[in-house]
Amino acid sequence: MQVLPKGVRHIPGYLDRPRQEALVESIRDVVAAAPLYVPEMPKTGKPMSVRMTNCGSLGWVTDRERGYRYQTHHPGTGKPWPPIPDVLIHIWRAVSASDKQPDACLVNFYSADARMGLHQDRDERDLETAVVSISLGDSCLFRVGGRTRGGKTVSFRLESGDVVVLGGEGRLAFHGVDRIYPNTSTLLKNGGRLNLTLRRVNL
Ligand SMILES: O=C(O)CCC(=O)C(=O)O
Ligand SMILES: [Mn+2]
């Protein structure tokens, strides 16, 4: 058993299959109201390999001109993001150890060749409340380290139904997704991996 950095908690199999299925259904409704789109890297405009959307009062977006930020509206439709489904609020309450509510939920969709480079979550005003991340569908290789780039990292697989909490000293841990393992889950009909990241943005 590997030792994870302080404040980083991996809860394997937190959601059983029926709860995973219910969650996918509620995310289908989110995506119907707020379609997945291709985010662009700041300055270069290079497309990210992960497709994204959000629910909650604020959504994380990025594009060439304005870079990483939170905003109240979907960049494509101009509409407010749909609300965070109750099932997600319940998970947050059970694992975040916070009395605050999440005000943002980023929905990441990874096809077989998508990945996410090592980064910190630090676009929030609140950098103390934990970040709660839920994995659905195909497995991935997740990497997490400390608060400085270039330090030691550990890698482990995230499977469908797993939850990761970055709290306390782990709140600003560098983390990323090195690869997806295609066809490792039957949860999503067309394969791929869904990640739901719940955060508290405003103080
Ligand atoms: O997909 C994941 O497990 C991590 C996603 C992530 O780190 C992010 O969206 O900031
Ligand atoms: Mn992140």
Side-chain angles (χ1 to χ4, degrees), residues 116 119 121 175 199:
M116 190 178 287
H119 66 278
D121 287 10
H175 60 280
R199 306 190 183 107

Side-chain angles (χ1 to χ4, degrees), residues 109-112 137-138 182-183 185-194:
F109 178 76
Y110 297 75
S111 54
D138 285 338
N183 309 312
S185 165
T186 56
L187 186 70
L188 305 177
K189 279 179 212 79
N190 298 316
R193 171 173 182 266
L194 264 180

